[in-house]
Amino acid sequence: MSGISGPRRLLVLAICCMSLLIVSLDSTVLNVALPSMQRELGASVSGMQWTIDAYTLVLASLLMLAGSTADRLGRRRIFLVGLAVFSAGSLLCSLAPSLSWLVAFRMVQAIGGSMLNPVALSIVTNTFTAPGERARAIGVWGGVAGVSMAAGPVIGGLLVQSVGWRSIFWVNVPIGALAIFLTLRYVPESRAPRPRRLDPVGQLLVITLLGSLTYAIIEAPGAGWTSAEILSFVLMALVSLAALLAYERRRVEPLIDLRFFHSAPFSGATVVAVCAFAALGGFLFLNTLYLQNIRGLSALGAGLHMLPMAGMTVFFAPLSGRLVGSRGPRLPLLLAGTAMAGAGLLFAVFDAQSTDVLLFTGYVLFGVGFGLVNAPITNTAVSGMPRAQAGVAAAVASTSRQVGTSLGVAVIGAVLAGGAHAAAGASQFVAAGRSAWWIIAGCGTAVLLLGALTTGPWARRTALRTADLLDEEPRGGHATARA
């Protein structure tokens, strides 16, 4: 795959970024449509949360399976199947007659989406093999991811205001069809030289863990945090986590190779991704409800109000990619954490909603931070890993993003539901939202601290040791533990 010409490699990168664009957009574009959907479909706050989290949860649950399957069966083949399923799911979402059907069709969409991002990133890392070229390509990839997610509210607002909320799903169909045509024509097939076995038990445990945890967080405000229903789902999540860790340690070819986490940069990138995308998911969910339900803005007005955030992300995402390629991930992570924490504090301490100047300043700061954070996450996750493990490492990074988004929407929604109804008065909503902004500030602080801790000389040494460990065959001490 590395022997293809320079122009064709750039075309492969563009095709992969096209798939990333539609999958990432659909993680955030729905936010500004929530009030319109709430009115048409009669959705509650928890119902709105599920329209977002049903998508991100299925993505998070299946990304690692998709990455390993593509390494085995062929990345181009799985990528094409993903494009077809995602496009079909988008069409079904646009025709959904009720909230329950929309949630179900969002899950179909996510099944296709799970076959796109990690597989596409694996194609990119196997197309650009020189370290410098790979870093720049991954920087472009990370920039597109950040830009598409940040631009979601603006694009969604335009579509909802001009055509209606169903149009946000229509646009995926022609883009998906074009991507299928270009992939068939220009993307070569590739496989991992040592593909791993499938791990159905590990996959089931991941689904149970993420689903039960998110259900407990979303439904707790209504059912009660100490109710038997919520406690049973929390217990299910804990048991699933313990079983997953114990089971995966015993497998020769696990769904999640826990040895990856011996690398401080990889572990740091995983947690940074969860924190950064939890902040983004919570930020968009909170501001959509505030701008439309409290300030009374239209979907387009809400999207335009968040344009400063999107604009800063568009500007700083490619800049971050260049910084990562030339100076490494440390500086972008430190700046990103500082900006995101500062935005959260501006709302939590100084009531940034009180004036447009403070409001837009907060949006600008958050956009700067989110624009800077994506490229170093992606680069750090795959750098130093053997090429044969590219699909798995990329899938873990993508999974962390989706887990973060799911948790951000679930936690922030639960905080709002517990403190004030989304349609309550402005003062009550702002008071309830203050706790949410503290959570977002905490996420930014975590990005800052982890960026400082996991990008220094010690962290790089752990990455080199981990790469050597992953190249060992068979796994030391576990060669007979096949499951």
Side-chain angles (χ1 to χ4, degrees), residues 177-199:
L178 177 61
I180 289 173
F181 170 77
L182 293 174
T183 300
L184 286 168
R185 188 173 179 87
Y186 296 109
V187 176
E189 185 61 280
S190 65
R191 293 177 176 84
R194 297 197 308 266
R196 298 171 306 127
R197 292 183 177 182
L198 298 181
D199 182 6

Side-chain angles (χ1 to χ4, degrees), residues 82-107:
L83 285 169
V85 174
F86 184 85
S87 300
S90 298
L91 182 60
L92 290 172
C93 285
S94 71
L95 303 173
S98 66
L99 179 67
S100 57
W101 279 110
L102 177 61
V103 171
F105 293 150
R106 287 280 283 171
M107 295 172 74

Side-chain angles (χ1 to χ4, degrees), residues 69-94:
T69 302
D71 284 346
R72 173 176 291 274
L73 300 181
R75 297 174 180 123
R76 177 175 177 264
R77 178 182 299 173
I78 298 301
F79 187 64
L80 285 167
V81 172
L83 285 169
V85 174
F86 184 85
S87 300
S90 298
L91 182 60
L92 290 172
C93 285
S94 71

Side-chain angles (χ1 to χ4, degrees), residues 56 98 103 170 173 246 265 339 362 374:
T56 54
S98 66
V103 171
W170 295 343
V173 179
N374 230 317

